[in-house]
């Protein structure tokens, strides 16, 4: 037992000696690395473009001048846009909402709102989410899509009918841009001619323009949002700016906004403007049905006229002139007028039956 204990003690001493040697080697290697990095290190300072320094001082103090970052500034425009919808939207509207969130880095999302809730509830949701602008998609009859753009909580707000929706995945355009970059907004000259279009222009600029120095935005401008007016509708397009020749290539999404009303408050209040050219989708579908019914009636009338023409032609052809050639006229008999009443004609069978009955009665009586 004593021998075993001695051997264990010797093994422990050897292990301790080897670990101490290894730690000493590691310390030496770390010192060498630090000395090499200290020789190669240089102080980095941010110097503006207007400031200048002598090259000799740079070499002596070992300083590297780096231009300041592009996005050095304070985020003052605290615009936040809430983008969400009601229940009952289809897949295309859902993809359109997702595309708007990707091209608007200052947007926020929320769960779908119940249909039974009134639109004034949206103002409370915006306050909870700390948003002062709102884009709300309202679906009706699973085929009509309405868009509300509102300034929360004081207004104004505008209601649009969304038509001809094409998403990013659907278009497959060749254009592309940096995610989170700030867009340019291009408006049609007609926006400055009428007051209600001027109000919409200000509303679009506050909603769709990305604030400067936003933490989720990139300090570059490489795409354009265009708002053009044609056929009493607002056409939205998104284009990429190519650096070589400043030409435009469409990215998507694209949709058409048909203005219905502009309200003074947020999601309600007195109407400031009502579009006289707007036709509700229910009325549009009714007009299409009436047009189809009128076409069907016209086809039925044409069929009846053709049938009448065919009958008239057949009657004319059936009257042959040569049919009366061999017809001989009947002899005309003199007309006789009978003055006396006609004699009653009694059947012989009835007379025989009456005589037989009389004979039978006579036999019974014994005559």
């Amino acid at each position: 037992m004593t021998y075993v204990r001695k051997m264990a003690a010797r093994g422990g001493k050897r292990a301790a000696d080897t670990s101490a040697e290894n730690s000493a080697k590691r310390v030496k290697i770390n010192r060498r690395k630090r000395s090499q990095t200290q020789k190669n290190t240089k102080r980095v300072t941010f110097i503006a473009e207007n400031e200048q320094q002598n090259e000799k001082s740079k070499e002596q103090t070992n300083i590297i001048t780096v231009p300041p970052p592009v996005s050095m500034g304070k985020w003052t425009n605290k615009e936040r846009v809430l983008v969400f919808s009601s229940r009952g939207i289809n897949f295309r509207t859902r993809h359109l909402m997702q595309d708007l969130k990707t091209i608007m880095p200052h947007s926020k999302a929320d769960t779908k709102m119940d249909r039974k809730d009134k639109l004034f509830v949206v103002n409370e949701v915006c306050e909870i989410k700390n948003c002062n602008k709102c884009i709300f998609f309202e679906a009706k009859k699973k085929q009509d899509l309405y868009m509300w753009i509102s300034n929360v909580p004081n207004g104004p707000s505008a209601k649009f009918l969304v038509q001809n929706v094409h998403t990013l995945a659907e278009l497959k355009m060749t254009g592309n841009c940096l995610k989170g970059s700030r867009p340019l907004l291009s408006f049609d000259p007609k926006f400055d001619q009428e007051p209600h279009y001027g109000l919409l222009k200000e509303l679009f600029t506050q909603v769709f323009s990305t604030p400067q120095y936003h933490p989720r935005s990139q300090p570059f401008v490489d795409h354009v949002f265009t708002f053009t007016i044609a056929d009493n509708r607002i056409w939205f397009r998104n284009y990429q700016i190519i650096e070589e020749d400043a030409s435009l290539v469409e990215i998507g999404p694209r949709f058409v906004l048909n203005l219905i009303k502009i309200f003074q408050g947020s999601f309600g209040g007195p109407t400031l403007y009502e579009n006289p050219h707007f036709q509700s989708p229910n009325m549009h579908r009714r007009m299409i049905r009436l047009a189809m019914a009128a076409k069907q009636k016209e086809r039925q009338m044409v069929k009846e006229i053709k049938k009448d023409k065919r009958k008239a032609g057949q009657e004319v052809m059936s009257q042959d002139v040569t049919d009366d050639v061999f017809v001989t006229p009947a002899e005309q008999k003199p007309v006789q007028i009978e003055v006396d009443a006609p004699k009653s004609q009694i059947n012989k069978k009835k007379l025989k039956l009456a005589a037989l009955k009389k004979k039978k009665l006579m036999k019974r009586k014994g005559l």
Side-chain angles (χ1 to χ4, degrees), residues 197-216:
Y197 282 135
L199 192 147
L200 291 176
K201 179 181 178 181
E202 183 64 26
L203 196 61
F204 287 150
T205 51
Q206 292 184 16
V207 171
F208 288 97
S209 62
T210 304
Q212 194 175 11
Y213 305 123
H214 193 277
R216 288 169 59 187

Side-chain angles (χ1 to χ4, degrees), residues 39 41 100 115 120 125 152 182 196 258 289 320 347 355:
K39 288 178 182 178
T41 52
L100 289 177
R115 292 180 184 176
F120 291 104
V125 176
V152 180
R182 299 179 63 226
H196 64 278
N258 192 356
R289 286 196 298 271
D320 194 0
N347 293 334

Side-chain angles (χ1 to χ4, degrees), residues 86-88 138-146 159:
S86 65
R87 296 194 180 277
E138 186 181 5
K140 290 184 178 180
K141 294 187 176 181
K142 295 185 179 180
Q143 55 185 347
D144 302 330
L145 180 64
Y146 297 93
K159 186 180 180 181

Side-chain angles (χ1 to χ4, degrees), residues 215-226:
R216 288 169 59 187
S217 66
Q218 299 290 338
F220 305 102
V221 178
D222 57 354
H223 63 288
V224 187
F225 292 162
T226 60

Side-chain angles (χ1 to χ4, degrees), residues 1 26 41 54 73 80 91 114 130 134 146 155 167 172 188 201 227 236 256 266 268 280 283 324 366:
M1 292 296 290
R26 287 173 187 168
T41 52
N54 295 326
R80 298 182 183 88
F91 69 97
D114 196 2
N130 195 15
C134 181
Y146 297 93
T167 58
K172 295 180 182 178
D188 195 273
K201 179 181 178 181
F227 298 90
F236 176 84
V256 180
S266 177
S280 65
M283 192 67 185
D324 299 333

